[in-house]
Amino acid sequence: MILAKNTSIYIDTLKKCLAKPCEENSHGISHELLGKKIVFRPFHHIDGTSEEYVNNELKWYDSKDLCIKCHKGIATNKVWQSCATDDGFVNSNYGWCIYSKENYGQFYECVNAIVNDLMTKQACMYYTRPSIHKEHNDGVHAKRDMICTCYTSSLLRFGKLEHHVHMRSNDIWYGLRNDLAWQQEVQVRLIEALHVRDIRCSAGSIVWFADSLHLYKRNYDNVMKFLEKYNERVRPSD
C-alpha cells in the first residue's frame, strides 16, 4: 500500500510512541514521547482525520467565540465539554487566540513582521499567556483548559514559508491530526495574506515540536486497529 507522506510519518510516530510506555498514575496516558520533533508536508491531512469535524472546528475557530454552545460538532463533543465551564466557556478557541484584538491580533502581527523584514525571526503567534495558570481552571474562563499550543513561528526562506508549531501537550490520536489540519489552514492563510502584500511564496514544511506527545489508554485499541489497517504489525510494549 502506497501511503501519503504525512500518513506514513504519522504511522512511524505512532509506533515510536507505542515503544515508550508511561509509568503508573499518568493521568490516563499509556504511552508518551517527550521532546518530539516531526516534519510534516503542507496541505495533506493525515488519513483517518475526520473532515467533518475539522470543518466544524474551523467554523467555530473563525467565529472567535469562546463559548462552545450552539456550534455544530463542538457543543456535543465530549472533550470540549470536559474543558468548558457550566456556561460553555473555554480558552482554546484557536481562532480567537490568533485573530482577536483581545489577544493582540497575533495573525496580523505575524504577517506584518514578515512584510517589514523578509528574513525576520519574529513572525510568531502566541496562543497562550501567563495568566493561563489561573484561568485554565477558574470556572469563569474555562474548566481544565490550559491551552496546548504555546506559539507558532513562521520563517520565509528561499521562497518558502516554513511554519513551526510548539505544543506543550499533544494527544497523538485526536489532537495531533486535528491540530495539524488547523495549522495547515493557518499556513495557507498566511501565504494568501502575504500575496496581497505583494510577497510571493509557497508552502514549506510544517515542523512540529511537542513537549509531551502522548496516547491515552482509552484510545489504545483504536490505534492498534489503525495500524493493522495498514499492515503495520506492532507488538504492544505494555
Side-chain angles (χ1 to χ4, degrees):
M1 180 182 293
I2 299 175
L3 299 177
K5 185 65 175 178
N6 282 345
T7 301
S8 179
I9 292 168
Y10 180 64
I11 287 173
D12 182 63
T13 306
L14 280 174
K15 292 164 68 177
K16 288 177 179 176
C17 188
L18 287 169
K20 296 289 184 179
C22 277
E23 54 188 287
E24 293 297 320
N25 192 29
S26 54
H27 302 284
I29 294 172
S30 64
H31 298 77
E32 182 181 39
L33 288 170
L34 299 181
K36 182 61 180 174
K37 173 186 174 182
I38 315 167
V39 181
F40 290 113
R41 291 186 177 181
F43 308 121
H44 301 293
H45 294 175
I46 295 167
D47 191 32
T49 303
S50 170
E51 299 299 328
E52 180 180 9
Y53 177 78
V54 166
N55 289 333
N56 286 335
E57 193 170 67
L58 181 59
K59 289 177 183 176
W60 176 52
Y61 286 168
D62 281 341
S63 77
K64 296 180 286 188
D65 187 359
L66 288 171
C67 184
I68 66 172
K69 291 185 176 181
C70 301
H71 291 280
K72 182 181 178 181
I74 305 301
T76 56
N77 182 276
K78 291 182 179 180
V79 174
W80 285 116
Q81 288 176 340
S82 72
C83 297
T85 66
D86 293 341
D87 293 327
F89 287 94
V90 297
N91 293 314
S92 295
N93 180 312
Y94 284 169
W96 180 91
C97 290
I98 67 170
Y99 294 127
S100 69
K101 292 180 180 179
E102 293 91 340
N103 207 39
Y104 300 96
Q106 300 296 308
F107 180 89
Y108 310 104
E109 293 291 352
C110 179
V111 172
N112 288 335
I114 297 173
V115 170
N116 293 331
D117 178 4
L118 297 183
M119 293 296 291
T120 187
K121 300 181 290 296
Q122 298 180 5
C124 299
M125 298 184 220
Y126 299 99
Y127 281 64
T128 192
R129 53 196 183 269
S131 59
I132 204 69
H133 288 289
K134 303 296 183 184
E135 296 170 356
H136 80 281
N137 195 24
D138 62 3
V140 177
H141 295 85
K143 180 179 69 177
R144 295 191 299 275
D145 183 21
M146 181 172 278
I147 299 171
C148 292
T149 305
C150 292
Y151 72 98
T152 66
S153 175
S154 299
L155 299 131
L156 180 58
R157 300 292 188 273
F158 303 104
K160 290 185 177 293
L161 188 72
E162 280 217 356
H163 191 59
H164 295 188
V165 182
H166 299 256
M167 310 285 296
R168 65 162 190 86
S169 174
N170 210 187
D171 164 20
I172 197 171
W173 181 240
Y174 287 117
L176 176 57
R177 291 186 290 181
N178 296 331
D179 289 338
L180 176 62
W182 162 248
Q183 294 297 347
Q184 287 171 332
E185 177 67 22
V186 172
Q187 185 187 39
V188 168
R189 292 181 180 188
L190 276 173
I191 291 169
E192 290 174 347
L194 290 171
H195 284 185
V196 170
R197 305 286 288 273
D198 294 323
I199 296 172
R200 299 292 168 180
C201 57
S202 59
S205 298
I206 294 181
V207 186
W208 210 266
F209 300 92
D211 294 337
S212 168
L213 184 63
H214 48 262
L215 172 66
Y216 286 104
K217 294 176 183 178
R218 62 180 179 266
N219 296 323
Y220 179 86
D221 290 342
N222 289 331
V223 166
M224 297 306 293
K225 291 175 183 177
F226 179 85
L227 292 171
E228 288 173 4
K229 175 182 175 181
Y230 296 103
N231 297 317
E232 296 286 341
R233 303 304 176 188
V234 179
R235 182 179 178 182
S237 49
D238 58 346

